[in-house]
Amino acid sequence: MKIHLHSVQSDIVWEDKQANFHRARELVLRSEPLPGSLVVLPEMFATGFSRNLDITAESSDGPTSEFATQLAAETQCAVMAGLVLRSAEGTHNVSLTISPEGSTLCHYEKRFPFSLGGESAVHAAGTKTTSFQWQGVRIAPLVCYDLRFPEVTRDAARQGVDLFVCIASWPVKRVQHWVTLLQARAIENLAWVAGVNRTGTDPDFTYPGRSLVADPHGVIIADGSDREQVLSAVIDTEVSSGWRKQFPALSDAGIPE
């Protein structure tokens, strides 16, 4: 199976949801995604990586979820977006994926809030790894700091994941870590990995972009450099399934194909 992946590497306006909705929609429509594609927006794309819950936190039917739903319907694509959701269980940094029909394909709560940046003081940690299927491809979301913890992707690999998608606000000072960890997660899980990062600046950090797609060998097949853009790639599950048959590292780890 194949899907078209469109990673939106945007320059996020600090704590301005309407400006970010407008820019994200403009970038996506300009890229002309084919119906049935997967469109991915960065971590907390509507506000930037703010810890101000009065600005960021929403209910499940709030403006950011509504925007993602409208964009999915308009493009006839699945839309994965990063936002902060408040529920009875707490406030979480979430990767939310919406179908063109408006249903929730996946709700994933970041398992490792970024303590160094003060995130763990405002966002509760998620407790489980989640995956979903889109166009015959099994996909698992990650959120930024989760990338440093290989147990997250290994848990998802047990669900038969073909593609990991990590949405992020990853700063330029650790860009080499970003690139290397994305490649490592691809190599160790024999799976496709996409990292979707923002560009620009906020009051705390400068962001390098460098959204990229790595194949199951860890080879980078698409790299977004540092400019605002939509990075597009085709994910082919025959590449990952074929490599797993040739090189049985997952089965040797007790993970059935």
Side-chain angles (χ1 to χ4, degrees):
M1 303 297 294
K2 295 181 181 180
I3 59 168
H4 292 262
L5 174 69
H6 302 279
S7 303
V8 182
Q9 183 169 285
S10 53
D11 184 350
I12 297 170
V13 182
W14 184 248
E15 296 184 347
D16 189 335
K17 291 180 181 178
Q18 293 305 315
N20 291 312
F21 295 159
H22 176 80
R23 186 56 176 157
R25 181 177 181 273
E26 182 180 53
L27 287 167
V28 170
L29 295 185
R30 186 187 301 167
S31 71
E32 299 182 340
L34 293 173
S37 299
L38 176 63
V39 172
V40 185
L41 301 164
E43 177 185 26
M44 296 177 65
F45 82 95
T47 60
F49 190 66
S50 169
R51 274 73 73 205
N52 182 356
L53 296 181
D54 291 338
I55 297 291
T56 63
E58 302 180 12
S59 63
S60 60
D61 59 353
T64 306
S65 298
E66 181 180 2
F67 170 78
T69 300
Q70 292 173 348
L71 186 64
E74 185 173 7
T75 60
Q76 286 297 290
C77 296
V79 172
M80 181 184 291
L83 70 163
V84 175
L85 291 178
R86 183 185 283 119
S87 70
E89 290 73 38
T91 302
H92 291 90
N93 188 341
V94 170
S95 171
L96 183 69
T97 308
I98 304 294
S99 77
E101 296 74 34
S103 62
T104 298
L105 294 171
C106 188
H107 174 119
Y108 169 75
E109 297 170 351
K110 186 177 185 179
R111 285 180 55 183
F112 291 92
F114 185 47
S115 59
L116 182 62
E119 184 183 16
S120 55
V122 293
H123 297 158
T127 59
K128 62 181 181 179
T129 301
T130 307
S131 65
F132 66 100
Q133 196 167 68
W134 178 245
Q135 304 290 3
V137 179
R138 176 62 59 178
I139 302 166
L142 311 170
V143 181
C144 203
Y145 196 44
D146 288 337
L147 184 63
R148 288 187 177 272
F149 301 88
E151 58 267 35
V152 178
T153 49
R154 187 44 57 101
D155 286 349
R158 298 182 188 279
Q159 300 175 20
V161 167
D162 303 296
L163 168 66
F164 296 96
V165 180
C166 182
I167 60 173
S169 294
W170 197 286
V172 69
K173 66 174 68 176
R174 292 182 287 274
V175 66
Q176 189 57 48
H177 298 186
W178 164 254
V179 174
T180 302
L181 289 167
L182 288 167
Q183 292 178 288
R185 300 294 86 88
I187 292 167
E188 69 195 8
N189 292 295
L190 290 73
W192 292 88
V193 174
V196 184
N197 196 31
R198 63 161 296 180
T199 188
T201 61
D202 67 19
D204 300 314
F205 300 107
T206 297
Y207 300 92
R210 292 302 303 274
S211 298
L212 60 84
V213 177
D215 75 8
H217 301 277
V219 176
I220 296 172
I221 67 160
D223 190 323
S225 68
D226 63 353
R227 65 181 179 87
E228 189 177 55
Q229 62 172 296
V230 175
L231 182 70
S232 299
V234 176
I235 306 300
D236 185 350
T237 61
E238 289 190 8
V239 175
S240 49
S241 62
W243 178 228
R244 289 172 182 177
K245 290 175 182 176
Q246 294 177 45
F247 192 81
L250 289 184
S251 61
D252 288 342
I255 300 174
E257 292 186 13

